Amino acid sequence: EYANLNRCQEFLENLSSSLEEKYESNFEYDEIPVPNGKTYRHTFFNSSDDYFAIQCNEEDDVTTAMLIYLESEDLFEARNEFYEAGL
């Protein structure tokens, strides 16, 4: 759990700005309503269609969680193979 939504969003803004500068990329920002809360997300797709996202999830105006996602074609295929194997 992150301390609060403001601190989480400040961290996301700083991280996305640093990554944009370092990798000459542009993150897209969006806010997504979810049951009992909202997701605040910065996302980026590179030229290989790899997906990178950093987000704050707020639930019931109380709990805030920060998540970082990286999804590539290799990771996507490996995850699907794992779940299809029925483990």
Side-chain angles (χ1 to χ4, degrees):
E1 181 178 317
Y2 215 74
N4 63 47
L5 182 60
N6 290 334
R7 286 191 64 198
C8 187
Q9 287 180 309
E10 181 180 318
F11 180 81
L12 291 185
E13 188 62 40
N14 290 336
L15 180 58
S16 63
S17 294
S18 295
L19 292 170
E20 284 177 335
E21 184 177 319
K22 182 173 182 174
Y23 296 106
E24 299 178 359
S25 60
N26 291 310
F27 279 80
E28 293 185 22
Y29 177 77
D30 59 343
E31 297 179 7
I32 305 162
V34 295
N36 301 323
K38 197 176 240 186
T39 295
Y40 304 86
R41 179 174 66 187
H42 296 260
T43 57
F44 170 72
F45 289 89
N46 67 14
S47 60
S48 301
D49 255 359
D50 297 332
Y51 171 76
F52 183 73
I54 48 179
Q55 69 186 45
C56 296
N57 291 350
E58 181 183 42
E59 294 182 21
D60 298 322
D61 296 324
V62 177
T63 303
T64 302
M66 185 178 71
L67 301 157
I68 298 176
Y69 292 102
L70 172 64
E71 180 78 55
S72 68
E73 186 175 338
D74 291 338
L75 289 171
F76 178 80
E77 289 174 5
R79 186 181 66 237
N80 283 346
E81 286 177 17
F82 173 80
Y83 286 114
E84 288 173 3
L87 298 175

